[in-house]
Amino acid sequence: MRNILLALSAALFFCPQVLAQNVEEAAIPDESFYEQTQRQRFPVFGQFRETYFITGIPANTTNVDKHNADVRFQVSLALRLARFGNVDLLGNYTETGVWNVYDKSSPLVENAFSPGLCAYWYVNPKLDLLMGISHKSNGYINERSRSINTAYVEAIYSPVKELMVGGKAWYGYYEHVPGLPHFFKKRGFFQVWATAKALDNRLNFTALVNPSNSFKNCNLEFNLSYRLSEKGSFLPSLFIQYRSGYCETLVNFYKYESHIRAGFAMELKHGYNSSIR
């Protein structure tokens, strides 16, 4: 009888633990998939595109002075409005500006505002898809006024943790300004990019190619960043950018420009660092 009681006591002690373990394993059949998916999910509030403040000079001329040296900045944030399974609905806002800060009276060349709405679908830990709409305007009036409305589809693929590749295609409406080329003849309708990561993701290099509508030229962008800290909610990075082509600003989209700039970028620790445009 004593042996029977001991056996029953042992069964009552160990069975709940075994059952709990089995329930936990059933809830999360693939722990690595679950952890990776949750880690890349967008937070309630985070960074949408790159956020940076950089200054530099034109790369297509030797006549560099206070009139053509400038500052470029971008701030991009997003708020998660709803979550439906593996799809997040994001409200996003991006502001981009070019500022002739070294010139007399430091005029602002342009400050463009771009609110938008997108559905972010986490297909699996290696593939994300975005579908959204956006509006972009420079806030000017009369002949300097520019505004664009676009609908886009975007894909981000990570075959390994050190590499991300992506592509974006869009269809847009632009109110044509008489006497100027059509915006999408210079901007085209798609772009591709790749980001290589090193030093535990602290060093990032991104190359972006955006062909024009006629494929006669390409808008190019190369970004190099190095994260300075892993502590805190905001992670600062050293940031270098080279851009060449058209559409640097909406107001001067039809002019070819080439710049190299350097400064600082900022990343929210729990945001999604996409490194895409």
Side-chain angles (χ1 to χ4, degrees):
M1 178 65 70
R2 182 179 178 182
N3 293 335
I4 294 175
L5 290 175
L6 289 174
L8 289 173
S9 299
L12 291 173
F13 179 78
F14 287 108
C15 281
Q17 299 184 45
V18 173
L19 289 173
Q21 183 177 1
N22 290 337
V23 169
E24 184 178 355
E25 289 177 354
I28 308 175
D30 187 343
E31 187 175 353
S32 62
F33 177 90
Y34 176 82
E35 288 181 348
Q36 286 181 285
T37 302
Q38 293 306 308
R39 187 160 47 248
Q40 70 186 89
R41 294 302 295 268
F42 204 91
V44 175
F45 178 74
Q47 180 176 304
F48 189 59
R49 308 294 187 188
E50 290 172 326
T51 294
Y52 54 77
F53 189 90
I54 51 179
T55 182
I57 59 175
N60 58 334
T61 179
T62 56
N63 298 321
V64 177
D65 55 30
K66 65 180 182 180
H67 302 296
N68 53 25
D70 61 16
V71 163
R72 178 180 171 87
F73 60 87
Q74 178 169 288
V75 178
S76 185
L77 301 169
L79 177 68
R80 193 181 74 218
L81 303 176
R83 174 166 285 177
F84 308 97
N86 279 354
V87 178
D88 289 346
L89 182 65
L90 305 179
N92 54 77
Y93 174 80
T94 301
E95 183 174 337
T96 305
V98 175
W99 185 14
N100 281 354
V101 67
Y102 307 108
D103 206 350
K104 185 178 180 180
S105 77
S106 301
L108 197 64
V109 177
E110 182 178 81
N111 197 18
F113 312 92
S114 181
L117 185 69
C118 79
Y120 208 132
W121 179 19
Y122 301 85
V123 181
N124 58 55
K126 291 186 176 183
L127 178 64
D128 300 336
L129 296 177
L130 291 83
M131 293 164 282
I133 55 175
S134 67
H135 170 78
K136 189 172 185 178
S137 173
N138 62 5
Y140 287 125
I141 60 175
N142 300 327
E143 70 278 359
R144 291 175 62 84
S145 175
R146 309 279 191 273
S147 66
I148 305 166
N149 296 297
T150 57
Y152 63 88
V153 178
E154 196 166 359
I156 307 169
Y157 179 63
S158 301
V160 294
K161 66 179 182 179
E162 296 84 8
L163 178 65
M164 296 173 67
V165 294
K168 180 179 180 181
W170 56 82
Y171 178 80
Y173 170 75
Y174 169 75
E175 188 173 349
H176 181 62
V177 180
L180 295 180
H182 197 282
F183 179 83
F184 288 105
K185 286 187 177 181
K186 301 296 185 181
R187 185 73 170 100
F189 291 96
F190 76 95
Q191 64 187 23
V192 293
W193 58 272
T195 296
K197 304 179 179 183
L199 303 180
D200 196 24
N201 292 343
R202 297 186 71 166
L203 182 67
N204 291 266
F205 175 74
T206 299
L208 181 148
V209 178
N210 165 220
S212 68
N213 188 37
S214 61
F215 287 87
K216 291 182 179 180
N217 56 67
C218 285
N219 303 312
L220 303 175
E221 181 178 312
F222 301 97
N223 297 328
L224 179 65
S225 66
Y226 177 74
R227 192 179 300 157
L228 297 174
S229 174
E230 296 295 318
K231 297 181 179 180
S233 299
F234 293 90
L235 307 179
S237 300
L238 293 176
F239 190 81
I240 300 174
Q241 182 182 84
Y242 171 78
R243 292 172 57 93
S244 69
Y246 299 88
C247 305
E248 162 103 311
T249 60
L250 290 178
V251 70
N252 293 323
F253 74 88
Y254 53 92
K255 294 182 179 179
Y256 175 84
E257 298 182 79
S258 178
H259 292 87
I260 183 166
R261 302 181 177 102
F264 292 93
M266 191 66 68
E267 178 187 340
L268 288 174
K269 186 173 184 178
H270 300 292
Y272 179 70
N273 184 19
S274 59
S275 296
I276 57 179
R277 302 293 299 165

